[in-house]
Amino acid sequence: MPGTAQSDTTDQTEPDPGSADSALEAERRHLAESRAALAIMREHVGSLNAVGAAAISWGPNVSTEHLKQALYRRVQSLQDDPTVPLFFGRLDYQRSDLPPRLYIGRRHITGEAGGEPMVIDWRAPISLPFYQATRDQPMDVRLRRRFGFSAGALTAYEDEDLVAGEALDNSDILESEIEKPRTGPMRDIVATIQPEQDVIVRTDLARSVCVQGAPGTGKTAVGLHRAAYLLYAFRDQLSRQGVLVVGPNDSFLSYIADVLPALGEIDASQTTVEALVSKATGLQAGRLEDAASAMIKGDARMADVIKRAVWSHLRPAEGTLVVPRGAHQWRVAAYLADEMVAMIKERGVRYAAGREMLPQRLAHQVLLRMEAAGDSPDDRVQNAVARSKPVKAYAEQIWPAVDAAKLVLRLLSDPEFLAEHADGLLTAQEQQRVLVRKPGRSVRTHKWSTAEIVLVDEAADVLNRTPSLGHVIIDEAQDLSAMQLRSVGRRASTGSVTVLGDLAQATTPWATTSWSDTLNHLGKPDAVIEELTAGFRVPGAVIEFAARLLPDIAPDLTPPHSVRRARGDLALATTTRPEVDLAEAVRVALQSEGSIGLITPDTRLVEVERALDGQGISYAVLGRETDPLDTEAFTRRVDVVPASIAKGLEFDHVVLFEPAEIVAGEPDQITGLRRLYVCLTRAVTSLQIVHTEPLPAQLSAA
């Protein structure tokens, strides 16, 4: 037999000799004991005194406040949700030097007696066979067991004999978990990670990875589980350097916010590119920009324009530096000062760093002259000379201070200044696109666009090197401009990145058409590119229907395919009563278990709300709240989703309104069809399309 499945109606006994309990009861007992052990672990950490622990374990030099934070985070990581199973699998090893039986779960749980592990963290090396062992390569495992749960209660198990049995072609428990209806935010997939996903998740920290993932292939979940794995495997390093998750919008961040905490990781930060650069520069976007101007400002050539503009502030030395000291006046010729500036620039330092170095170089020349005259000055004298008024004034004239925001504002508002530094880089027409028609008189009064704030962030990096994190995960990366990618990439200049996206879902005018280009802009040209095409979440009927768009929107990509046996439900309805039939479609979806997303053209939002209000259907509108941590989104069964923010989300049931209008709402047809592709592939179980206008021709094709 390839495998055996048992549920709570089964009276099969545990295969161990002499056991009188049923296997299911024995596993339930282990689950209860594991929960009790986790509670003891949490109580123990909570009882620790930070002051005493710091003095005893780490010594008096360790900050008590730092240890308090560490203990708090440890307690938080040990929180137990009774609706979430502590383990989801078991491995029975056949080698005598390995533990005979290990339970695989979301976090490590240790028993009281001798500290024996009751549950092994899924990220531990010894857990690897649960995800990657096969009949051909059993990895010393005799039996792999998967558990089925309902609301945290163990209800079934399924065995796979990797030594004597046949290959298990289909796992009912695995399929049930993947297809399980869900409400609320995204949850982890730790129990259902597939071998090809696991390889990406466990890629070494030193290596950057780019995942081209079709809809439903789990690319976002892979990225988040990679973050959890890296925080486990490289905890000391990443606790110092940090991990950052960059998503496309606040609704998306709200949707994924619970995944890492559920895996016991609370140290990773989450943000959008807009929030990232706003925090770094202190500027807030207050102006929407037309696509043509935003495309130029997002072009990589703007980095060279900014670099030229910053370094153009250097001036040749004028006259001789004279430094009075005691009865002497020490002189440094202008040509020597120019040589020092050239030498500093050759070192490739940032502008502000070079500016700090110049006074010391000038002071060193003064010391050489003092020594030649018979004096014996030391470092204190050099520092005093470097801080003296003559040296500071002379250095300031040669190497003046530059403000990043003021410099970018001048580029946006001064045609001559822009032309000087964009010569040979931007055409005259492109320069006109960069210029703002009514700029503010100051940094504070100017209404900045997001693309302009990214330029300020670029200028700030030319002035001072941006600190690097240990690892950055970028989701929906295909939609970022070259300048946005540079902004994210410099946050991982000495670290690594995980890039997630789908070229077929690129919906911005400046979207990338090549992952190689994306990786170059991120500064990671050597990253490995992996492709995921097996869809675990989107059913076959839906993905095949949506794939009709691929010849137009991404002809070079491998078409995705669904690995689920259930085809899913697809229904198309033409209507002359959109408000009535739209509400009816939602009512049909409400008859089934799971979350519901009503995706609509942004311009039809008021009409959709009126239709639902008229029928008394409760709902939340995604994107309406400004705080991603304070929102009703994902807490009600029905979410109204503007098409512009549907990317990255998924719902058990989707009602899609007016596909043709979604296409027409974009600047060009290809972008519109890509937006529609995104919306079509948000469904996990069923998709209903309600439309008054004819479907796009690509979908009407047989």
Side-chain angles (χ1 to χ4, degrees), residues 66-79:
H66 175 77
L67 189 55
K68 283 181 179 178
Q69 286 295 319
L71 291 175
Y72 169 78
R73 295 162 102 81
R74 177 60 174 160
V75 170
Q76 291 299 110
S77 71
L78 294 174
Q79 292 295 328

Side-chain angles (χ1 to χ4, degrees), residues 157 378 457 487 514 556 619 642 657:
Y157 71 87
D378 56 19
D457 189 68
S487 182
S514 163
D556 296 330
Y619 63 91
F657 187 41

Side-chain angles (χ1 to χ4, degrees), residues 106-161:
R106 286 168 173 79
R107 58 175 62 85
H108 187 89
I109 300 176
T110 303
E112 285 188 283
E116 290 297 322
M118 301 189 70
V119 179
I120 298 293
D121 195 299
W122 66 276
R123 298 165 289 187
I126 202 169
S127 301
L128 181 65
F130 183 77
Y131 299 103
Q132 297 193 14
T134 64
R135 275 297 314 278
D136 294 333
Q137 292 184 319
M139 303 173 73
D140 299 314
V141 172
R142 179 181 64 81
L143 180 141
R144 173 166 51 204
R145 174 170 289 182
R146 298 183 188 275
F147 295 105
F149 289 85
S150 177
L154 199 159
T155 58
Y157 71 87
E158 183 179 68
D159 287 342
E160 184 178 4
D161 191 330

